[in-house]
């Protein structure tokens, strides 16, 4: 059923039906009632475009993702899926837009093109020009991650500092005295990527508190980088007996390097960190880790954004997730020689 059929049965023009549906123009009460009677008889439900016209909205959310030239990690894909799923539950569409690199024009179209009602922004830097731009335009937005000064904005994030610190304390409780942090790539750290800097801060604080020897290394988001990183770590810091990591994409390579060096996990070497649950469970043996609640975080980001769209003057809200560390099988007492 469409507007044309309603117009034919009510004996009016299509534009008159549109005016009744959108409320944009005044229509005589008698005509409005006649059209409404046909709508009720046919059980007509306006599609999303008609509802959006009536509400003055697009019923579309923007999701700003990392540059298309980069392969998204499983965690990033998980956040994308969780936002799309949450939006669908509210009968909303999602427009994906890469940012950074050669994609500044795509982001600018999202910001200024009136294509979306609000934006979810991923992969936040401590100093992030995209956040500044969105704040200046007044377009509603929520971030997955947060800047160094996140006052006055709504966000959801993982407590990387606290979680990595807890991983270090767990290793120290098992007797490990020489530990390492396998971070994200050097490029991300140099760009001020929030999780990397907060994980490093938590690592350094816990190492100092427990009087441990700690080393941090950067690692690309792939298997080959993980293997090369741990191979180098074992050569340059042979005393290290355990690592904590936030680089889940490097985990298969880290495991390969340890196996290649003849080290068993956790008999000879312990591994822990922050990762998506399926990465942790696929590790052999299963990884002791804080499992990132991607689905919950995406849903919360969409819920916060819809609050802002509905009430632009509302007080910004945020949520910092600190999931428990699931004790699986990849950490154990340090081996004494």
């Amino acid at each position: 059923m469409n507007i044309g059929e309603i117009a034919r049965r009510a004996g009016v023009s299509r534009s008159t039906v549109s005016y009744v549906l959108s409320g944009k123009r005044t229509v005589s009460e008698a005509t409005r009632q006649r059209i409404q009677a046909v709508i009720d008889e046919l059980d007509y439900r306006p599609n999303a475009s008609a509802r959006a016209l009536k509400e003055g909205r697009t019923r579309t959310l923007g999701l700003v993702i990392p540059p298309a030239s980069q392969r998204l990690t499983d965690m990033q894909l998980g956040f994308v899926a969780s936002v799309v799923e949450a939006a669908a539950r509210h009968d909303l569409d999602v427009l994906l837009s890469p940012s950074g690199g050669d994609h500044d024009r795509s982001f600018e179209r999202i910001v200024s093109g009136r294509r979306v009602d609000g934006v979810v922004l991923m992969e936040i830097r401590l100093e992030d020009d995209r956040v500044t731009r969105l704040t200046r335009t007044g377009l509603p937005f929520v971030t997955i991650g947060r800047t160094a000064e996140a006052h006055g904005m709504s966000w959801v994030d993982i407590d990387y500092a606290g979680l990595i610190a807890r991983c270090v304390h767990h290793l120290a409780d098992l007797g490990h005295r020489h530990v390492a942090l396998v971070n994200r790539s050097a490029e991300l750290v140099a760009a001020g990527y929030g999780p990397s800097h907060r994980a490093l801060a938590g690592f350094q604080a816990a190492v100092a508190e427990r009087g441990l020897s700690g080393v941090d290394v950067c690692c690309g988001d792939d298997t080959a980088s993980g293997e090369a990183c741990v191979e180098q770590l074992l050569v340059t810091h042979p005393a290290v007996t355990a690592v904590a990591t936030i680089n889940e994409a490097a985990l298969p390579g880290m495991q390969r390097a340890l196996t290649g060096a003849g080290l068993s996990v956790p008999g000879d070497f312990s591994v822990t960190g922050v990762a998506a649950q399926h990465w942790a469970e696929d590790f052999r043996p299963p990884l002791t880790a804080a499992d990132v609640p991607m689905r919950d975080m995406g849903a919360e980001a969409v819920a916060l954004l819809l609050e802002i769209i509905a009430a632009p003057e509302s007080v910004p809200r945020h949520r910092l997730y600190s999931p428990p560390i699931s004790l699986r099988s990849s950490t154990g007492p340090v081996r004494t020689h």
Side-chain angles (χ1 to χ4, degrees):
M1 188 55 56
N2 56 38
I3 288 177
E5 178 64 14
I6 294 171
R8 187 184 67 78
R9 293 198 182 198
V12 298
S13 68
R14 291 171 59 96
S15 59
T16 302
V17 176
S18 295
Y19 296 152
V20 169
L21 291 172
S22 68
K24 292 291 184 180
R25 292 192 186 181
T26 303
V27 175
S28 73
E29 183 60 22
T31 301
R32 191 196 68 78
Q33 288 183 1
R34 192 163 73 250
I35 292 171
Q36 188 61 53
V38 174
I39 288 173
D40 294 341
E41 177 189 347
L42 299 177
D43 193 26
Y44 173 75
R45 297 183 181 183
N47 63 22
S49 296
R51 290 198 305 274
L53 181 64
K54 184 173 183 179
E55 297 167 5
R57 296 178 182 163
T58 66
R59 296 198 65 80
T60 302
L61 304 181
L63 176 58
V64 180
I65 61 176
S69 58
Q70 299 177 8
R71 184 174 59 84
L72 298 185
T73 66
D74 274 33
M75 188 178 295
Q76 290 167 341
L77 288 171
F79 281 127
V80 170
S82 69
V83 169
V84 171
E85 288 174 7
R89 288 195 292 271
H90 294 278
D91 195 24
L92 300 172
D93 296 325
V94 175
L95 177 62
L96 297 183
S97 173
S99 69
D102 298 325
H103 301 285
D104 287 341
R105 284 182 297 177
S106 175
F107 176 66
E108 191 59 31
R109 285 194 295 270
I110 283 281
V111 173
S112 59
R114 298 176 182 253
R115 295 181 170 194
V116 299
D117 298 322
V119 171
V120 176
L121 190 62
M122 290 174 51
E123 301 295 284
I124 305 301
R125 272 76 168 147
L126 295 176
E127 303 291 334
D128 202 307
D129 291 341
R130 300 169 304 170
V131 171
T132 304
R133 180 77 178 93
L134 284 166
T135 301
R136 199 177 297 137
T137 64
L139 182 66
F141 73 95
V142 170
T143 60
I144 299 178
R146 68 196 192 277
T147 57
E149 299 294 333
H151 311 298
M153 56 185 280
S154 293
W155 51 266
V156 297
D157 201 2
I158 302 165
D159 183 13
Y160 282 102
L163 292 175
I164 287 296
R166 279 159 52 192
C167 288
V168 171
H169 286 301
H170 170 62
L171 294 172
D173 291 342
L174 291 170
H176 294 275
R177 308 299 301 167
H178 302 275
V179 298
L181 171 68
V182 176
N183 210 325
R184 299 287 293 279
S185 71
E187 291 79 11
L188 280 176
V189 173
Y193 181 57
S196 292
H197 284 260
R198 292 188 174 100
L200 179 57
F203 177 78
Q204 292 173 332
V207 163
E209 182 179 342
R210 299 300 291 266
L212 308 181
S213 169
V215 58
D216 61 276
V217 294
C218 292
C219 179
D221 294 337
D222 57 79
T223 297
S225 297
E227 184 173 12
C229 174
V230 171
E231 285 177 347
Q232 182 70 12
L233 178 67
L234 295 174
V235 170
T236 55
H237 297 87
V240 168
T241 58
V243 301
T245 186
I246 63 167
N247 194 331
E248 61 177 24
L251 280 169
M254 294 166 61
Q255 185 169 40
R256 188 181 297 170
L258 293 170
T259 300
L263 297 174
S264 67
V265 177
D268 301 310
F269 203 94
S270 289
V271 183
T272 184
V274 181
Q277 184 175 349
H278 79 91
W279 277 110
E281 293 176 345
D282 286 347
F283 196 77
R284 289 292 174 265
L287 186 73
T288 290
D291 301 337
V292 177
M294 294 177 292
R295 186 165 190 163
D296 292 345
M297 292 178 68
E300 182 74 7
V302 170
L304 289 175
L305 182 56
L306 294 181
E307 285 183 15
I308 299 169
I309 292 170
E313 303 306 317
S314 59
V315 176
R317 296 202 300 119
H318 61 265
R319 181 167 179 182
L320 186 63
Y321 287 78
S322 186
I325 293 177
S326 299
L327 296 176
R328 296 187 177 97
S329 309
S330 65
T331 54
V334 66
R335 174 168 289 183
T336 56
H337 298 286

